[in-house]
């Protein structure tokens, strides 16, 4: 992971410097979590970006419709488990909280930043998030209710272990970007959109026997 990302950044930033292109680096709210290789590499990317006067955005758990389920994260993974097994078996006890942002809102934020690119600097904290924390257990419950509305019985089974990704570390988002952009989609509405899209996919598979 470290080797691949380091090589990719060296190549990408070299070309950005050579051709002097305006750019946004997709960082993460985890970039200050030095115990995480993911966080460390995001921090390295931020330092590259500052040296080239680009802009840095910090994403906070962006989710949306995912066609490649190998890349599924917690929301799409829970929905997938509900359809395929009827059991949402969680990897943690679900007490950890996250700020989830629907992908369409994220796209609008990025579009806004590019349109107003010259108004920002690499020192600006551009946190792309909702500012609303939701526990993973509550996410599972929301998805369980959507299945219940479809007359499908789905069980939520929390694990005993605590979150090992962020180790319960909590950051507070900077609201600077809110002068130009605000998220529109609640977590419940966003999850429902993803659920309905995945439901259509599973119904098509059932119709054609393509499991």
């Amino acid at each position: 992971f470290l080797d691949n990302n380091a090589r990719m950044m060296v190549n990408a930033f070299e070309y950005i410097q050579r051709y002097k292109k305006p750019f946004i680096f997709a960082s993460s709210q985890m970039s200050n979590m030095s115990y995480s290789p993911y966080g460390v590499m995001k921090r390295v990317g931020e330092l590259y970006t500052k040296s080239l006067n680009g802009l840095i955005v910090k994403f906070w758990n962006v989710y949306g419709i995912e066609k490649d389920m190998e890349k599924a994260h917690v929301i799409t993974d829970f929905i997938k488990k509900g359809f395929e097994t009827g059991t949402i078996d969680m990897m943690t006890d679900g007490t950890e909280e996250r700020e989830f942002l629907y992908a369409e809102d994220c796209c609008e934020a990025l579009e806004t930043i590019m349109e107003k690119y010259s108004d920002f600097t690499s020192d600006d904290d551009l946190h792309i998030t909702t500012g609303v924390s939701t526990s993973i257990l509550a996410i599972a419950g929301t998805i369980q209710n959507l299945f219940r509305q479809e007359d499908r019985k789905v069980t939520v089974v929390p694990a005993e272990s605590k979150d090992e990704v962020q180790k319960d570390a909590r950051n507070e988002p900077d609201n600077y970007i809110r002068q130009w952009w605000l998220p529109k989609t609640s977590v419940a509405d966003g999850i429902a959109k993803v659920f309905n899209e995945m439901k259509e996919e599973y119904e098509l598979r059932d119709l054609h026997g393509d499991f």
Side-chain angles (χ1 to χ4, degrees):
F1 176 84
L2 293 170
D3 184 65
N4 287 341
N5 279 271
R7 291 171 184 269
M8 184 164 54
M9 281 195 282
V10 167
N11 289 330
F13 287 117
E14 179 184 352
Y15 279 98
I16 289 170
Q17 181 181 32
R18 181 183 302 176
Y19 295 105
K20 303 186 185 306
K21 295 294 183 180
F23 72 100
I24 292 174
F25 177 67
S27 189
S28 165
Q29 57 98 11
M30 290 181 65
S31 65
N32 66 340
M33 300 180 186
S34 59
Y35 53 79
S36 164
Y38 176 81
V40 168
M41 294 313 296
K42 287 299 187 183
R43 180 59 182 151
V44 170
E46 289 181 359
L47 294 173
Y48 264 117
T49 301
K50 285 178 179 289
S51 72
L52 296 175
N53 298 314
L55 300 183
I56 299 166
V57 298
K58 293 180 185 289
F59 293 129
W60 288 59
N61 304 294
V62 179
Y63 70 96
I65 296 164
E66 181 59 72
K67 297 297 184 181
D68 182 359
M69 295 309 294
E70 293 296 322
K71 298 179 180 179
H73 293 287
V74 61
I75 290 174
T76 43
D77 183 55
F78 283 1
I79 296 172
K80 178 177 182 286
K81 287 178 176 178
F83 277 112
E84 295 186 0
T85 69
T87 300
I88 300 175
D89 53 327
M90 300 168 58
M91 298 179 68
T92 69
D93 63 4
T95 57
E96 71 274 21
E97 295 186 358
R98 299 283 187 271
E99 293 188 17
F100 291 94
L101 179 69
Y102 188 55
E104 289 182 6
D105 288 346
C106 179
C107 291
E108 288 184 5
L110 291 173
E111 184 178 20
T112 298
I113 292 170
M114 288 305 295
E115 288 174 348
K116 299 183 179 298
Y117 190 90
S118 59
D119 294 337
F120 302 110
T121 73
S122 60
D123 291 324
D124 290 327
D125 287 323
L126 303 176
H127 289 241
I128 311 301
T129 184
T130 59
V132 178
S133 294
T134 308
S135 73
I136 302 302
L137 196 57
I139 293 293
T142 298
I143 294 169
Q144 184 183 41
N145 287 334
L146 289 169
F147 278 108
R148 188 176 293 124
Q149 292 170 19
E150 299 290 326
D151 292 323
R152 294 172 180 257
K153 184 179 180 181
V154 168
T155 305
V156 175
V157 182
E160 294 183 0
S161 59
K162 295 287 186 180
D163 170 44
E164 289 297 321
V165 176
Q166 293 187 198
K167 301 184 185 295
D168 284 334
R170 296 288 298 277
N171 288 318
E172 291 295 327
D174 189 294
N175 291 325
Y176 181 65
I177 188 63
R178 297 297 184 94
Q179 300 175 65
W180 298 273
W181 164 86
L182 289 171
K184 300 175 182 176
T185 311
S186 69
V187 173
D189 289 343
I191 291 175
K193 289 182 179 183
V194 176
F195 179 89
N196 289 330
E197 177 74 16
M198 292 180 69
K199 174 189 168 187
E200 290 182 7
E201 291 285 337
Y202 278 99
E203 287 176 345
L204 285 173
R205 292 184 190 183
D206 282 338
L207 181 65
H208 297 289
D210 189 24
F211 268 110

